Amino acid sequence: MKILIMMLLVMICFGCNQKTTQKQNTPIMVLTQLPGKYNGQEDVWENPDSNYDSYASFGGDHYATFSRLDKNGNSLGLGLINKKGKVIIQPIYSSIAIQIKMENDIFIVNDSLHNYGIVNNQGVELVKPQYDFIHYGNSSADTIDTRLGLIKVSKNEKVGYLNRKTGQVVVPVKYDDLFVMDKNLIMFEVLRHGDDGNLTGNWGIMDFNEKIISPPRFSYPDRLKGGKTTLIAEGEEYFVYEDGRINKK
């Protein structure tokens, strides 16, 4: 009996240490199809089931978010459907980001603790919500990273790169900033306090295995164009080539 009580206490304490929200831990029935029908004229999904939103608006897009509701009509979590009512993402998240007017292959989700993760269009959680921010579709730089199969993520004011298809870490989240030069080279920033007390950044160059090609000495990052680019270090210009060569101009 004492052993059983001790086991129960351990299980309770373990549950108290989890950082997921209650709604994510609460078992729910896995949905494959949302009740209701698609109204093409209004571009909405109409749902008669009071356990979910009455309407889910597509707004001209391929997907729509919907909420699972409690008995008082409060949201217990957001999910995602297509226009056939197929549930793409289960209703367990606090938000789901959709790239408008695109056939999304991944979606950025977050939980009630404001941690961000990634779910693909098969509903597989590639990255459990854990990052402070995921840089996806927010700028032209993000778009180029995505084309190269990468997604920049931030955690505790440091950044790294993930593989956008698998969610696996490509570059560890430990740099002040990162900038992809091309498919082989990355620039990394190191921030330091100057004599005036302000933070200043210098950029170095490395490959995707984190092999350092140049220490942080350049004033700014840039992408390679036609196999090379020009960078400045301490007022001097340097040619940087795709094979890692660096020559003073």
Side-chain angles (χ1 to χ4, degrees), residues 19-20 24 93 108-111 113-118 125-134 153-156 158 162 167-169 173:
K19 292 186 178 181
T20 53
Q24 288 179 306
Y93 297 102
I108 309 304
V109 300
N110 82 340
D111 60 20
L113 299 176
H114 306 294
N115 297 310
Y116 289 84
I118 301 173
E125 190 176 74
L126 300 177
V127 179
K128 183 179 179 180
Q130 60 185 286
Y131 294 107
D132 296 334
F133 194 72
I134 294 179
V153 295
S154 301
K155 182 73 174 179
N156 297 327
K158 299 295 182 181
L162 307 181
Q168 296 297 310
V169 174
V173 183

Side-chain angles (χ1 to χ4, degrees), residues 133-175:
F133 194 72
I134 294 179
H135 306 255
Y136 180 62
N138 298 293
S139 68
S140 58
D142 296 345
T143 300
I144 294 175
D145 290 347
T146 300
R147 289 174 184 167
L148 292 171
L150 301 169
I151 294 182
K152 185 189 289 185
V153 295
S154 301
K155 182 73 174 179
N156 297 327
E157 299 184 350
K158 299 295 182 181
V159 304
Y161 277 114
L162 307 181
N163 182 303
R164 75 182 302 273
K165 290 185 177 181
T166 66
Q168 296 297 310
V169 174
V170 177
V171 179
V173 183
K174 64 180 186 180
Y175 295 94

